[in-house]
Amino acid sequence: MKKMMLSLLFLFVAGTTLISCKKDGLTYRSDLEKSFDTWLAFKKSSADSYSYTVRSASWTGYFTETVITVQAGEVTGRKYIAKIRKDNGAVETLGQWTEDRTGLNSHSDGAATRTLNQIYDMARTQWLVRREDADTYFEAANNGIISSCGYVPKNCQDDCFTGINITAVNAL
């Protein structure tokens, strides 16, 4: 009887562990947690005042950069530039603008006005969720802070990345 109870207990614990792992459904969990810890240390040392640069690019040569400025944990500015690389290698600026606190989100182009806390939340709840029909990516090349996070649906040919690419994070 005791042996049977131990066997049932083992099966219960093993089953619960497997179910909780499947429920988790997050790819790159340990890398994300390590990066988040690095972010928290940076956040503290910078008094939650920093800027970060989001870059997007297309196979066509079109690319954009948006610099988000955060002061004391609140987004206070956004600066955007769109460019295209010509066949001859020259780069042409197609548009640019700057928003301050009073004009924030007055343009539809550019990266969303999010804090890095919000970026990490999106990584956990949207971009790193395990998907059978997509490949997931995560990098922390900004001194351990998130740099690339998102997914690409399988069999997609061009410009299918959903997520974020951050090329720089700087304390103010």
Side-chain angles (χ1 to χ4, degrees):
M1 181 72 169
K2 187 174 183 182
K3 193 174 186 181
M4 189 171 149
M5 291 298 283
L6 285 174
S7 295
L8 286 173
L9 180 61
F10 173 77
L11 286 173
F12 175 75
V13 170
T16 303
T17 302
L18 288 173
I19 290 170
S20 67
C21 288
K22 276 201 167 203
K23 267 189 193 176
D24 177 48
L26 205 60
T27 60
Y28 295 99
R29 174 173 289 289
S30 63
D31 292 337
L32 179 64
E33 288 173 356
K34 183 178 177 185
S35 177
F36 186 69
D37 289 344
T38 302
W39 154 242
L40 290 177
F42 175 85
K43 178 181 172 179
K44 184 177 181 179
S45 71
S46 69
D48 206 5
S49 296
Y50 56 90
S51 67
Y52 68 94
T53 304
V54 177
R55 182 176 168 91
S56 68
S58 171
W59 66 273
T60 63
Y62 177 79
F63 62 97
T64 68
E65 287 187 345
T66 308
V67 178
I68 306 291
T69 302
V70 177
Q71 294 178 323
E74 182 180 326
V75 177
T76 58
R78 188 167 68 143
K79 184 177 177 181
Y80 172 84
I81 191 163
K83 296 181 179 184
I84 191 162
R85 185 172 309 279
K86 301 287 192 168
D87 290 337
N88 64 4
V91 176
E92 178 184 335
T93 298
L94 300 175
Q96 60 186 3
W97 45 259
T98 301
E99 298 172 339
D100 62 13
R101 188 184 306 249
T102 60
L104 215 49
N105 297 313
S106 58
H107 296 86
S108 58
D109 296 338
T113 52
R114 296 184 178 111
T115 65
L116 284 175
N117 271 345
Q118 292 169 319
I119 297 294
Y120 276 97
D121 285 344
M122 292 194 71
R124 271 187 215 93
T125 61
Q126 295 178 31
W127 300 327
L128 295 180
V129 173
R130 190 175 314 279
R131 293 173 173 78
E132 295 298 322
D133 62 343
D135 295 313
T136 307
Y137 302 92
F138 179 82
E139 293 179 4
N142 293 315
N143 293 318
I145 296 173
I146 198 169
S147 58
S148 183
C149 181
Y151 63 92
V152 175
K154 291 182 180 177
N155 299 318
C156 182
Q157 298 301 312
D158 300 315
D159 300 335
C160 303
F161 182 76
T162 299
I164 196 162
N165 287 303
I166 299 173
T167 58
V169 178
N170 299 298
L172 296 183

